[in-house]
């Protein structure tokens, strides 16, 4: 690396500008700390079996020290921090050594970067300036190492890596941003009186980002806007949505949403109200469509709503014999006389530093610049949305970064691609307004959009495509299910998890992505862990039990979980009035005796595990059985959790309330974000309680259990049934 800095990088910096000719690296030390890989995830589903996909969590907190002198000024870097998720793809797999044809590397999103500047570059540490300087370097990394950009290294000779560097995208996600409701109030008058907000949305997939229009003074805004994103990697890429309140000084955050594109790809169409996370209230209505890419020309009919019908993928390879300047071909002798006495004559005679502008419709994209070469090689890929393949064209213009005027142009009608069965052109194109032997080499691929029918055997993910979604909201009466409006989110969000314990466990045994091996009860579900989240909903349930989807109105959420057992209800408003303490004494008048002993209070099934990647203790409340009712009116049970000794109201976790049942099923997950060392010192305090009116004299606590976490193997995890006991607290 030191040799590379001195012999390669230093000459390149000197050639960039006349003021950098004295650039010299005076100190190059990469320190003693090496990059770390904090975790590795291997994919075994949703991928091609002739490849290996790994996600590496990279963390580099380096003590490097690099200094250089430029015209008596000293500047440099003392320390770098960088972390992000690096995807590594090993393909194709071979039958002989080296067994892997090539390695492809890229970051899924921009990695986080912090730089400690030294010398005169301490100026860059000034607030505001340092953000700009670091973001410039992040953009530099993104242009080379963040999707859709990749680095591909062949491991075998004569390996063609073009299709590995520029694979055809997996598909396109069309996002209909419809409306939101019950957003938090961010604007205030005189610091006290709450007003309305001016919300707008920022949507992002990878490095591509769009912003919606701003709706003034409305907590229930209606946008009705449509955005389209190219999806390069599934699994891996997600749809991120952030809501902000537009203000003159600084925009206020109003909530966010993270949606798994794997679920949208499998469901094909998702039209749901999603609860916002990182906020106290608010729901967002999105319609998501997965568009597959096919080479079927019959799908290229023009959309009546003006939406895209196809995607054009341009693989920009190289150019040949570019002129040194546009006077060589445009003005001839006259042009030569004009520039004869020009002081920039030497500059005009050097090899061009060229870049390419590619335009389809009203969208223009720019390639990188290749310095001082008449035969530049760019090696980049670009995508364009196409509305009418029969009438639109691709316009190419090659320019020199230091001079006005084009070095060559070309126009390719997209209708030419329709003459090929695969809708592909891979050739050299003659440049116009250039030398007679000037060419540009490109590969053009046209793919039509197709909305395919989802697998009828698959249970739709629906609102659970959100990585932090709530329990589904369904009222059940008789043999019919009634869909209702999404509830207001509580302080502790409850992500959807698997419902049927036995099915949950059997799915885990099949899923080779998980790394937990439990040896407990056969009916006990085991917690799972992925990079994205924990205990996400298993969706390969029996479709016969799945309620049929029906058309629904503005605030309706379809039930998407199988009806194997009683459907879940929304968190009860009555449960919000419950007290945080679990130390109520059981009323002896309500406890019956049987043969001189206490009647059992029932059992609760729990799954507990420490998630190393998320640095959190995960508690899955599966359900209860054989609860004892406090009266003849029945019981409405819910479960309350503390991580002792913390008994604060804010740290309390609570399930939803199940109406009139002695065998409630919850399957709700909660997380306590503490280090493993700290968790080992704690005790889980879990109480099953009865939701009852405030003035009721009925017993509140139905039973409880305490688990000493210092005695458990939390990394492996455990899942079992616990007998509920009475509180032992004495009367005052």
């Amino acid at each position: 690396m030191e040799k590379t800095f001195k012999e390669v990088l230093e000459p390149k910096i000197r050639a960039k500008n006349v003021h950098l000719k004295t650039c010299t690296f005076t100190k190059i030390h990469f320190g003693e700390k090496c990059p770390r890989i904090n975790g590795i995830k291997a994919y075994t589903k949703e991928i091609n079996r002739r490849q290996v996909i790994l996600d590496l969590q990279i963390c580099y907190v380096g003590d490097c020290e690099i200094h250089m002198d430029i015209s008596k000024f000293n500047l440099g870097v003392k320390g770098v921090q960088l972390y992000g998720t690096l995807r590594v793809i090993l393909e194709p797999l071979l039958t002989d050594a080296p067994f892997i044809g090539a390695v492809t590397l890229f970051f899924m999103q921009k990695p986080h970067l912090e730089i400690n500047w030294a010398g005169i570059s301490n100026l860059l540490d000034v607030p505001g300036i340092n953000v700009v300087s670091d973001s410039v370097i992040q953009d530099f990394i993104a242009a080379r190492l963040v999707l859709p950009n990749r680095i591909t290294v062949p491991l075998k000779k004569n390996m063609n890596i073009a299709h590995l560097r520029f694979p055809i995208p997996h598909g396109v996600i069309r996002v209909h941003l419809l409306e939101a409701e019950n957003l938090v109030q961010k604007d205030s008058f005189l610091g006290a009186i709450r007003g309305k907000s001016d919300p707008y949305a920022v949507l992002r997939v990878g490095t591509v980002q769009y912003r919606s229009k701003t709706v003034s003074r409305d907590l229930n805004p209606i946008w009705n806007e449509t955005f389209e994103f190219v999806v390069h990697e599934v699994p891996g890429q997600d749809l991120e949505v952030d809501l902000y309140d537009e203000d003159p000084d600084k925009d206020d955050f109003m909530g966010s949403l993270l949606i798994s594109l794997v679920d949208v790809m499998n469901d094909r169409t998702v039209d749901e109200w999603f609860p916002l996370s990182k906020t106290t209230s608010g729901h967002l209505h999105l319609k998501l469509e997965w568009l597959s890419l096919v080479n079927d020309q019959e799908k290229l009919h023009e959309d009546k709503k003006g939406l895209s019908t196809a995607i054009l993928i341009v693989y920009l390879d190289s150019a040949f014999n570019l002129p040194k300047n546009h006077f060589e071909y445009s003005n001839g002798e006259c042009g030569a006389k004009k520039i004869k006495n020009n002081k920039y004559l030497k500059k005009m005679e050097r090899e061009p530093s060229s870049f390419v502008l590619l335009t389809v419709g009203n969208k223009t994209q720019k390639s990188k610049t290749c310095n001082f070469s008449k035969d530049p090689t760019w090696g980049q890929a670009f995508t364009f949305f196409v509305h009418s393949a029969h009438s639109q064209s691709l316009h190419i213009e090659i320019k020199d970064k230091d001079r006005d005027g084009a070095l060559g142009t070309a126009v390719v009608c997209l209708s030419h691609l329709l003459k090929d069965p695969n809708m592909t052109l891979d050739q050299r194109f003659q440049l116009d307004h250039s030398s007679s032997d000037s060419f540009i080499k490109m590969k053009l691929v046209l793919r039509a959009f197709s909305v395919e029918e989802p697998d009828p055997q698959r249970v739709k993910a629906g609102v659970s495509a959100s990585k932090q979604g709530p329990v589904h909201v369904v009222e059940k009466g008789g043999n019919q299910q009634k869909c209702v409006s999404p509830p207001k989110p509580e302080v502790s969000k409850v992500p959807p998890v698997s419902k049927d314990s036995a099915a949950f466990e059997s799915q885990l045994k099949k899923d080779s992505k998980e790394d937990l091996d439990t040896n407990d009860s056969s009916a006990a579900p085991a917690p799972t862990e992925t990079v994205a989240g924990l205990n996400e909903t298993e969706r390969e349930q029996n479709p016969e039990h799945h309620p049929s989807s029906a058309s629904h109105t503005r605030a309706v959420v379809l039930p998407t979980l199988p009806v194997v057992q009683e459907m879940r209800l929304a968190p009860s408003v009555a449960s919000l009035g419950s007290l945080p303490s679990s130390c109520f004494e059981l009323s002896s008048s309500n406890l019956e005796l049987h043969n001189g002993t206490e009647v059992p209070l029932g059992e609760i099934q729990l799954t507990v595990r420490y998630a190393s990647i998320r640095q959190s203790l995960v508690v899955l409340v599966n359900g209860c059985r054989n609860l004892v009712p406090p009266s003849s009116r029945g019981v409405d049970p819910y479960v309350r959790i503390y991580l002792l000794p913390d008994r604060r109201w804010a740290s309390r976790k609570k399930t939803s309330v199940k109406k009139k049942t002695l065998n409630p099923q919850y399957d709700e997950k909660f997380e306590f974000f503490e280090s493993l060392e700290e968790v080992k010192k704690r005790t889980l305090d879990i109480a099953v309680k009865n939701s009852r009116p405030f003035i009721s004299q009925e017993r509140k606590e139905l039973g409880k259990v305490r688990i000493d976490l210092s005695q458990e193997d939390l990394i492996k995890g455990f899942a079992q049934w616990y007998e509920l006991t009475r509180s032992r607290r004495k009367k005052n």
Side-chain angles (χ1 to χ4, degrees):
M1 286 292 291
E2 293 177 2
K3 185 178 179 182
T4 301
F5 267 67
K6 294 290 290 183
E7 298 181 3
V8 179
L9 188 58
E10 191 175 285
K12 284 189 174 183
I13 294 175
R14 290 179 175 180
K16 280 284 184 181
N17 191 290
V18 65
H19 302 291
L20 300 177
K21 284 187 176 181
T22 60
C23 170
T24 304
F25 284 101
T26 57
K27 183 176 183 179
I28 302 174
H29 177 61
F30 288 96
E32 305 299 327
K33 297 180 180 179
C34 62
R36 292 172 50 214
I37 299 176
N38 287 339
I40 301 178
K41 176 179 178 180
Y43 288 88
T44 58
K45 288 186 176 181
E46 311 279 357
I47 65 168
N48 184 347
R49 301 299 299 177
R50 288 188 55 77
Q51 64 180 187
V52 176
I53 296 182
L54 306 172
D55 281 351
L56 279 60
Q57 288 189 317
I58 303 294
C59 177
Y60 176 55
V61 183
D63 55 347
C64 64
E65 193 168 355
I66 301 173
H67 294 271
M68 66 178 179
D69 287 336
I70 300 178
S71 301
K72 299 181 180 180
F73 293 107
N74 181 268
L75 54 132
V77 172
K78 296 180 70 173
V80 175
Q81 293 187 33
L82 182 143
Y83 51 88
T85 300
L86 182 72
R87 174 155 291 187
V88 179
I89 301 179
L90 311 177
E91 66 172 334
L93 303 183
L94 309 175
T95 56
D96 55 346
F99 305 110
I100 297 168
V103 179
T104 301
L105 309 169
F106 54 87
F107 283 100
M108 302 299 295
Q109 280 96 23
K110 283 185 181 180
H112 178 80
L113 177 69
E114 292 183 15
I115 298 176
N116 182 23
W117 299 98
I120 193 174
S121 55
N122 275 331
L123 290 172
L124 299 175
D125 276 334
V126 177
I129 298 179
N130 64 339
V131 175
V132 173
S133 60
D134 289 359
S135 65
V136 168
I137 297 175
Q138 280 183 313
D139 291 340
F140 178 83
I141 296 174
R144 289 155 177 79
L145 258 180
V146 179
L147 274 177
N149 304 297
R150 306 161 184 251
I151 291 180
T152 301
V153 181
L155 301 183
K156 188 174 182 179
K157 292 183 178 180
N158 304 320
M159 173 64 63
N160 183 10
I161 62 172
H163 69 287
L164 301 178
R165 288 192 63 198
F166 309 116
I168 293 179
H170 280 250
V172 169
I173 180 75
R174 180 174 288 161
V175 182
H176 300 274
L177 177 67
L178 302 178
E179 54 189 324
E181 66 176 11
N182 300 326
L183 299 181
V184 293
Q185 297 175 338
K186 288 294 184 179
D187 291 340
S188 60
F189 301 99
L190 303 178
I193 304 175
R194 286 286 184 180
K196 294 186 176 180
S197 299
D198 308 313
Y200 68 89
V202 176
L203 301 93
R204 182 169 46 254
V205 173
T207 57
V208 180
Q209 177 174 298
Y210 296 112
R211 172 180 165 159
S212 74
K213 63 185 179 183
T214 301
V215 180
S216 300
R217 299 179 56 76
D218 196 342
L219 297 179
N220 300 287
I222 298 176
W223 289 287
N224 287 330
E225 294 185 73
T226 301
F227 306 94
E228 292 172 325
F229 297 90
V230 179
V231 181
H232 296 275
E233 284 293 317
V234 175
Q237 289 190 290
D238 298 315
L239 170 64
E240 304 171 62
V241 184
D242 295 325
L243 296 187
Y244 293 92
D245 170 30
E246 187 177 79
D247 286 321
D249 49 357
K250 181 181 179 182
D251 295 350
D252 296 318
F253 178 74
M254 301 181 71
S256 65
L257 188 60
L258 185 66
I259 296 178
S260 169
L261 295 183
V262 174
D263 295 323
V264 180
M265 179 182 71
N266 292 329
D267 288 354
R268 304 302 178 183
T269 301
V270 176
D271 188 349
E272 298 286 357
W273 283 89
F274 294 93
L276 296 173
S277 60
K278 302 178 184 177
T279 185
T280 55
S281 71
H283 284 76
L284 185 64
H285 188 188
L286 298 176
K287 181 181 179 183
L288 309 172
E289 294 178 289
W290 179 266
L291 306 176
S292 300
L293 306 182
V294 297
N295 58 351
D296 185 358
Q297 297 190 20
E298 295 181 0
K299 301 283 187 180
L300 289 174
H301 56 276
E302 193 166 344
D303 190 272
K304 295 180 180 179
K305 297 181 181 179
L307 299 174
S308 305
T309 60
I311 185 173
L312 175 67
I313 307 157
V314 180
Y315 302 107
L316 178 62
D317 187 354
S318 55
F320 306 93
N321 297 317
L322 292 181
K324 292 181 180 179
N325 57 76
H326 66 283
F327 291 102
E328 282 188 7
Y329 61 85
S330 60
N331 296 329
E333 229 175 89
C334 178
K337 290 179 181 178
K338 285 184 178 180
I339 65 170
K340 187 173 182 180
N341 298 321
N342 196 315
K343 62 180 179 180
Y344 296 110
L345 179 60
K346 292 183 179 179
K347 186 176 180 180
M348 301 292 283
E349 290 177 344
R350 63 162 172 74
E351 301 290 338
S353 296
S354 56
F355 63 90
V356 182
L357 296 177
L358 302 121
T359 304
V360 174
N362 57 2
K363 182 177 181 180
T364 299
Q365 298 190 59
K366 180 182 176 181
S367 75
K368 66 182 181 183
T369 300
C370 291
N371 291 315
F372 314 126
S373 175
K374 66 175 184 177
D375 300 317
T377 299
W378 294 284
Q380 289 179 277
F382 304 88
T383 56
F384 296 90
F385 291 110
V386 176
H387 296 84
S388 175
H390 295 87
S391 59
Q392 288 187 281
S393 301
L394 169 66
H395 296 261
I396 304 110
E397 185 178 20
I398 304 178
K399 305 192 75 172
D400 191 321
K401 70 173 184 178
D402 295 323
R403 298 190 290 269
D404 295 330
L407 300 177
T409 63
V411 178
V412 180
C413 295
L414 301 188
S415 57
H416 293 337
L417 281 82
L418 304 181
K419 300 176 183 178
D420 184 84
N422 293 321
M423 295 195 292
T424 302
L425 286 179
D426 187 0
Q427 64 183 60
R428 292 184 178 187
F429 296 87
Q430 172 74 51
L431 290 174
D432 298 325
H433 306 100
S434 186
S435 302
S436 58
D437 57 348
S438 296
F439 296 88
I440 185 169
K441 184 181 180 182
M442 298 183 297
K443 181 179 180 181
L444 310 180
V445 179
L446 186 66
R447 290 293 180 263
F449 292 163
S450 174
V451 181
E452 300 175 358
E453 291 297 323
D455 183 359
Q457 301 297 317
R458 184 180 184 275
V459 178
K460 279 202 169 188
V463 73
S464 64
S466 168
K467 292 196 172 182
Q468 299 182 13
V471 175
H472 298 292
V473 186
V474 180
E475 290 179 352
K476 184 178 180 182
N479 294 325
Q480 295 182 345
Q481 285 77 35
K482 178 184 177 184
C483 300
V484 297
S485 175
K488 303 298 181 291
E490 296 185 357
V491 175
S492 60
K493 285 284 186 179
V494 184
V497 293
S498 173
K499 184 167 189 178
D500 188 324
S501 296
F504 187 90
E505 186 193 30
S506 64
Q507 286 297 332
L508 290 180
K509 291 180 179 179
K510 297 176 184 178
D511 191 349
S512 59
K513 284 191 291 184
E514 315 306 340
D515 57 356
L516 178 65
D517 179 22
T518 59
N519 52 9
D520 219 315
S521 169
S522 60
T528 63
E529 175 181 350
T530 65
V531 172
L534 300 174
N535 291 317
E536 296 182 1
T537 309
E538 292 290 337
R539 302 181 183 91
E540 298 176 6
Q541 307 275 1
N542 190 342
E544 295 177 2
H545 299 294
H546 182 64
S548 59
S549 59
S551 60
H552 54 289
T553 55
R554 177 175 177 271
V556 169
V557 175
L558 287 178
T560 58
L561 292 182
V563 190
V564 177
Q565 302 169 4
E566 182 179 357
M567 295 292 287
R568 296 167 175 76
L569 297 179
S572 169
V573 176
S575 66
L576 295 176
S578 60
L579 296 177
S581 174
S582 65
C583 296
F584 283 94
E585 183 183 37
L586 291 177
S587 172
S588 59
S589 62
N590 289 331
L591 268 181
E592 299 180 4
L593 296 178
H594 183 69
N595 294 331
T597 61
E598 293 183 0
V599 175
L601 301 179
E603 295 177 296
I604 183 171
Q605 188 186 33
L606 302 170
T607 302
V608 182
R609 184 197 179 191
Y610 190 79
S612 302
I613 293 179
R614 293 171 63 85
Q615 294 288 297
S616 67
L617 177 71
V618 181
V619 180
L620 177 65
V621 180
N622 303 108
C624 302
R625 64 188 180 192
N626 304 324
L627 298 179
V628 178
S631 69
S632 59
R633 287 189 294 272
V635 62
D636 299 334
Y638 68 92
V639 179
R640 188 271 302 134
I641 308 174
Y642 282 123
L643 188 60
L644 298 181
D646 188 356
R647 283 186 176 277
R648 292 176 301 162
W649 179 282
S651 61
R652 179 188 70 154
K653 309 294 185 185
K654 186 169 73 71
T655 69
S656 58
V657 177
K658 302 301 178 183
K659 297 289 186 180
K660 308 303 179 193
T661 177
L662 300 178
N663 299 285
Q665 288 293 322
Y666 299 102
D667 290 331
E668 297 181 19
K669 182 192 75 173
F670 305 95
E671 291 187 78
F672 297 88
F673 291 93
E674 300 283 354
S675 66
L676 180 60
E677 293 73 17
E678 181 65 25
V679 169
K680 282 281 190 179
K681 304 173 185 177
R682 303 291 196 94
T683 299
L684 272 178
D685 181 273
I686 299 171
V688 181
K689 294 193 171 188
N690 178 28
S691 177
R692 69 207 191 337
F694 183 74
I695 60 175
S696 173
Q697 298 299 315
E698 293 179 5
R699 184 174 77 252
K700 175 136 180 114
E701 187 176 282
L702 304 177
K704 67 181 300 183
V705 64
R706 285 192 176 181
I707 303 174
D708 184 0
L709 298 178
S710 65
Q711 306 300 317
E712 304 289 351
D713 185 351
L714 298 178
I715 298 297
K716 181 179 179 182
F718 56 91
Q720 66 185 62
W721 287 93
Y722 292 89
E723 289 187 3
L724 296 172
T725 61
R726 297 173 59 183
S727 295
R728 299 302 179 187
R729 183 175 178 180
K730 296 180 180 180
K731 290 184 179 180
N732 292 330

